[in-house]
Amino acid sequence: MNVQDRRRLLGPAAAKPMAFSNTTIHTLENKSTSALPKNSECEQELSLHTGFIENCNGSALVESRDAKHQTSLITAVYGPRSIRGSFTSQGTISIQLKNGLLEKYNTNELKEVSSFLMGIFNSVVNLSRYPKSGIDIFVYLTYDKELQNKCLDDESQSKQIFSQISSLIPHCITSITLALVDAGIELVDMAAAGEVCGTVVSFIKNGEEIVGFWKDNGDNEDLSGCLDRCKEQYIRHRDLMISCLMKQKNLNI
Amino acid sequence: MATGFEFPRIAYPGKLICPQYTTENRNGDDIIFNYVCGPGTKLLRYEHNGAQLEAITATLIGTVRCDEEKRTDEEEEREATNPSTEEEKSVDKSSSDVSKRIVKFIRVSVVPVTNNDCKTSKDASNDFANNLPKEGDIVLTRVTRLSLQRANVEILAVEDKPSPIDSGVGSNGMGIIAASGGSGAATFSVSQASSDLGETFRGIIRSQDVRSTDRDRVKVIDCFKPGDIVRAQVLSLGDGTNYYLTTARNDLGVVFARAANGAGGLMYATDWQMMTSPATGATEKRKCAKPF
């Protein structure tokens, strides 16, 4: 009978994948150059890294810090690998989010976000290139904490309520896009997003097409103004991603 | 190659590379460049100032390459005999003072690896995106199971393609596997596909597809044994579980096999259906690939 979990047949813990020449060490160090922090109205600093996890096909680290909070998340991309069952002419994407040091978000919230992200990347990844296979994306929210700021007045205190998981989504999108590009998976365009008071809008094609829209209960009645501010952030994030990738892949325009 | 169009040297996903057609007048000849999507590119529709445009867009990060595609004589003949295109040509001729019209097909592709200074296996393996077996590809497989009608195999590698990095995450005990399994239910890699995990792409060689002659008298057991490494060609993507493969060609078949069901040493092909163990001199039947 074939009942035991075949995944338990692991090799030695210290076993390593085959390497054919003296590879990685100095190239790895080169890769982890940080992109320039960028200032805006909220003075958000972003730091992007790619390709630092050995085991997966593509990985990205996104760290952001502004006056109010600080976020860091790691994304790993595995695949495309074979899926069993019925025939699929297109690839399948699965995205999983995981709490890191701070168990801040509950499972339902994370599931909701990951299905939202799946909707975005189903339209961004060139899935027709990957028949019968699955692409697995894991996002690890290393930390996401509010910074104590004594000089906050009541208004900004109330704003803090809305710095919920929605403020995290643009960074998730940035890091997944970076990791997918790093993995060499075909993307139709670099997806990125902006967030204004609990509303997240994700764009492609230079802001001409919206691929995702998320709304939390923030106070944003002016939707078109919201869109414009999200688009600004999208363009900033996208340009940052491109310059970061160019630098880390040693390509010069 | 002079195409009369300035390509960007470097592309990233979403970067527009070129339109579908450009034209150029060279020495009185009208030359039409028809750009075709190669690996790493896709033809996408854009809206610009209210007009719908189609442009070849990069889907990978890397350098842009363009090669002229030679169309076969058959295709040219078909085009020449096709009355509608001829008609178009003559109409075009009368409307312009062009003596000759040449259509050139140019394949545009994005090549991921650029830095020649450090060509490590790690760098090369970044280009696994097009590494999935597709129709016509030559693959290396391992025989897992035999029956009277077919041989079941697992696909280990696609020939002439690098393999992904996450090789054997599950089999070497490192790395993270999704708690609920992810889409692949664990791990898959082309280079070190772990048969312990049973999560490689699988294939079937039907007995009719083993060789091209006398194909209804094939005895699968005289052609393959479990564990043999078989070079095969993909016939079709098959169903959800299996690719359909064939070895009906001289250069396809068993490349590596051990004697006595894996207990003996490696054997060498002596002719197309016989392998010999140099240590013992014993021979076994296989459908061998032509070694050279």
Side-chain angles (χ1 to χ4, degrees), chain B:
Chain B
M1 178 184 23
T3 57
F5 185 80
E6 187 99 353
F7 285 95
R9 197 170 63 81
I10 284 165
Y12 46 84
K15 170 102 176 160
L16 303 187
I17 298 176
C18 62
Q20 229 181 331
Y21 300 98
T22 57
T23 55
E24 189 184 334
N25 197 313
R26 202 181 284 167
N27 310 328
D29 294 350
D30 234 355
I31 305 177
I32 300 171
F33 294 104
N34 185 354
Y35 300 105
V36 185
C37 287
T41 62
K42 195 181 187 190
L43 191 66
L44 289 177
R45 187 176 288 276
Y46 287 87
E47 205 176 296
H48 181 67
N49 293 337
Q52 295 279 336
L53 301 171
E54 282 194 333
I56 293 181
T57 313
T59 56
L60 292 174
I61 191 162
T63 49
V64 177
R65 206 177 67 191
C66 48
D67 316 289
E68 190 165 346
E69 263 197 348
K70 291 274 181 277
R71 293 280 154 143
T72 58
D73 293 341
E74 275 177 38
E75 275 174 281
E76 276 172 20
E77 258 173 48
R78 207 187 314 133
E79 268 174 36
T81 51
N82 193 340
S84 65
T85 52
E86 250 176 38
E87 209 172 291
E88 266 176 44
K89 275 179 189 167
S90 60
V91 168
D92 283 338
K93 252 180 213 169
S94 58
S95 63
S96 64
D97 307 329
V98 175
S99 58
K100 208 173 158 197
R101 163 171 287 190
I102 307 166
V103 181
K104 283 188 175 173
F105 292 90
I106 288 159
R107 174 177 291 271
V108 182
S109 48
V110 175
V111 187
V113 185
T114 50
N115 30 356
N116 302 318
D117 47 326
C118 51
K119 253 210 162 24
T120 62
S121 62
K122 191 169 180 300
D123 286 331
S125 60
N126 283 337
D127 177 30
F128 76 95
N130 309 313
N131 201 14
L132 299 181
K134 53 180 186 297
E135 282 167 33
D137 276 356
I138 306 286
V139 292
L140 283 178
T141 63
R142 185 196 288 125
V143 178
T144 55
R145 184 165 184 264
L146 295 179
S147 70
L148 288 175
Q149 294 84 25
R150 69 183 78 88
N152 290 58
V153 298
E154 55 185 11
I155 297 176
L156 304 176
V158 181
E159 203 157 271
D160 296 331
K161 300 270 178 60
S163 44
I165 308 173
D166 65 353
S167 312
V169 173
S171 54
N172 65 21
M174 304 202 304
I176 309 154
I177 299 172
S180 58
S183 66
T187 227
F188 162 73
S189 92
V190 171
S191 68
Q192 297 175 13
S194 159
S195 49
D196 286 348
L197 301 172
E199 275 147 1
T200 49
F201 285 106
R202 284 191 260 188
I204 284 178
I205 305 171
R206 300 182 306 159
S207 65
Q208 305 91 297
D209 296 328
V210 169
R211 59 181 187 229
S212 50
T213 57
D214 209 8
R215 53 203 315 165
D216 47 354
R217 238 180 297 236
V218 172
K219 277 187 181 160
V220 175
I221 193 68
D222 287 341
C223 300
F224 307 112
K225 291 276 162 60
D228 289 358
I229 304 296
V230 176
R231 190 166 178 260
Q233 187 177 29
V234 179
L235 279 181
S236 92
L237 297 187
D239 55 20
T241 329
N242 294 306
Y243 283 79
Y244 283 73
L245 310 173
T246 177
T247 55
R249 232 167 67 179
N250 282 346
D251 59 332
L252 302 177
V254 177
V255 283
F256 293 112
R258 284 186 174 277
N261 288 324
L266 271 180
M267 296 190 294
Y268 295 89
T270 41
D271 64 36
W272 74 273
Q273 53 181 355
M274 200 65 83
M275 283 187 125
T276 310
S277 168
T280 63
T283 59
E284 290 185 21
K285 280 189 153 183
R286 294 290 198 282
K287 196 283 176 192
C288 304
K290 197 176 176 183
F292 303 108

Side-chain angles (χ1 to χ4, degrees), chain A residues 159 162 166 195-200 215-220 226 229:
Chain A
K159 263 189 186 170
F162 299 117
S166 56
E195 186 259 344
V196 176
C197 300
T199 302
V200 180
K215 196 168 181 309
D216 272 350
N217 44 356
D219 53 343
N220 39 14
C226 210
R229 283 170 67 191

Side-chain angles (χ1 to χ4, degrees), chain A residues 83-143:
Chain A
I83 48 174
R84 294 286 152 74
S86 56
F87 181 85
T88 51
S89 59
Q90 286 197 329
T92 318
I93 292 180
S94 84
I95 299 180
Q96 298 203 3
L97 268 73
K98 207 177 165 224
N99 272 314
L101 296 177
L102 311 167
E103 294 280 324
K104 196 173 167 185
Y105 305 107
N106 62 41
T107 331
N108 285 339
E109 266 181 307
L110 293 179
K111 271 212 174 121
E112 210 178 327
V113 172
S114 69
S115 75
F116 171 71
L117 292 172
M118 239 134 79
I120 292 175
F121 285 96
N122 272 329
S123 51
V124 171
V125 177
N126 190 5
L127 288 173
S128 55
R129 270 285 223 262
Y130 305 105
K132 297 175 69 163
S133 14
I135 296 166
D136 297 335
I137 301 167
F138 301 98
V139 184
Y140 184 75
L141 314 173
T142 319
Y143 59 81

